[in-house]
Amino acid sequence: PEIRPSDCSWISEETSRQERLTNKLVILVSPAMSIKQLKQKIEMEFAEIFPREEPYFVGKIDDASGYTLPASSLVGDHFKQGDSIIVWPRADYEDFPHTYQKENADDLVHTLKNVHYSMISKLSDSYIQEYTDKAELLSTILPLGLTEDVPTIQNICVILNKVITRDVVALLDDESNSSLLELAVLVMQHWINKIIDEDKFILNNTLMVLEMFIKSWSF
């Protein structure tokens, strides 16, 4: 098969020796993408397709013959359209100390973003109203709203609309929680200034949250 000018596709198998499970994904990427960038794309695709699963962190990528691919090499150097690859999770990858390299800050920040998205996605789909300590919940969730990642903000909107009630607004009026209200205002300002013009879902949900916040005496 021919490689198309803008992208190529192949089957990615994520394998865990501990759980003996294999997930298969079809990934479309440019042949000019590096193997390092491919790892990041697989992590993001996994988080989006399997939001209820634990975050998947790629350790190393092997070709169909079992050869490990250098992170600095390009996809087009090794694969053509329709080729299969084997992706090892980081826990298994650490069993190969001779190929292990320390990750740089860019990789770690990317991983952190994936973890944030995965956890927020799971929380938005949970019965989060049952979480009793609403102040603690808001102090954990609100700082994550200062991102510009639209899917993460969408899920935070869902969470806030589930938990922001009259009782929570009254809680924010308590002097001990004044910093939480200030943080909520900061997050809302960030969304209004940079995000809501791009996404109607975030716009509508931001308005719903603000309608609740304006009932606060301190807002």
Side-chain angles (χ1 to χ4, degrees):
E2 297 181 356
I3 299 178
R4 286 173 287 176
S6 61
D7 60 76
C8 63
S9 65
W10 66 92
I11 297 175
S12 164
E13 297 186 4
E14 279 101 11
T15 306
S16 170
R17 291 201 303 248
Q18 295 176 338
E19 298 181 2
R20 301 298 179 184
L21 296 176
T22 298
N23 292 308
K24 293 186 177 181
L25 303 175
V26 175
I27 308 290
L28 295 175
V29 301
S30 166
M33 176 181 285
S34 69
I35 296 300
K36 175 182 174 181
Q37 292 171 323
L38 174 59
K39 291 180 181 181
Q40 295 172 346
K41 181 173 179 63
I42 291 172
E43 291 175 350
M44 182 64 73
E45 291 280 346
F46 190 92
E48 292 180 356
I49 296 173
F50 306 108
R52 299 193 179 198
E53 298 290 332
E54 293 297 321
Y56 189 93
F57 304 126
V58 177
K60 71 187 186 82
I61 294 178
D62 294 349
D63 62 18
S65 299
Y67 291 100
T68 299
L69 307 179
S72 59
S73 61
L74 303 180
V75 168
D77 293 340
H78 306 283
F79 304 110
K80 60 182 183 295
Q81 184 176 341
D83 282 351
S84 296
I85 64 174
I86 301 172
V87 180
W88 294 91
R90 193 167 301 161
D92 288 345
Y93 179 50
E94 291 171 355
D95 292 338
F96 301 89
H98 57 287
T99 60
Y100 181 76
Q101 297 179 352
K102 288 186 177 180
E103 293 185 80
N104 61 30
D106 290 341
D107 292 335
L108 294 175
V109 170
H110 180 82
T111 298
L112 182 60
K113 288 180 180 179
N114 284 346
V115 171
H116 283 173
Y117 171 78
S118 179
M119 292 298 101
I120 289 296
S121 179
K122 291 178 182 179
L123 282 173
S124 69
D125 198 35
S126 69
Y127 294 103
I128 199 166
Q129 303 95 318
E130 298 177 357
Y131 195 90
T132 54
D133 192 339
K134 296 298 192 296
E136 180 183 62
L137 176 63
L138 290 175
S139 66
T140 302
I141 296 298
L142 285 173
L144 303 181
L146 294 174
T147 181
E148 294 187 16
D149 181 67
V150 170
T152 297
I153 295 175
Q154 289 174 337
N155 284 308
I156 293 175
C157 285
V158 172
I159 293 171
L160 292 180
N161 275 299
K162 283 184 176 182
V163 302
I164 301 297
T165 63
R166 290 181 179 273
D167 290 340
V168 172
V169 171
L171 179 69
L172 295 176
D173 278 331
D174 189 292
E175 185 176 352
S176 63
N177 294 318
S178 60
S179 60
L180 275 181
L181 185 57
E182 292 173 359
L183 179 58
V185 171
L186 181 64
V187 171
M188 296 296 107
Q189 289 177 335
H190 170 63
W191 293 354
I192 291 170
N193 291 335
K194 295 190 175 183
I195 307 297
I196 60 173
D197 288 340
E198 304 175 11
D199 191 283
K200 289 185 178 180
F201 180 86
I202 295 176
L203 170 61
N204 293 335
N205 279 270
T206 299
L207 292 175
M208 292 170 64
V209 173
L210 288 174
E211 285 178 0
M212 294 300 300
F213 277 147
I214 60 177
K215 297 175 182 178
S216 165
W217 293 103
S218 306
F219 186 75

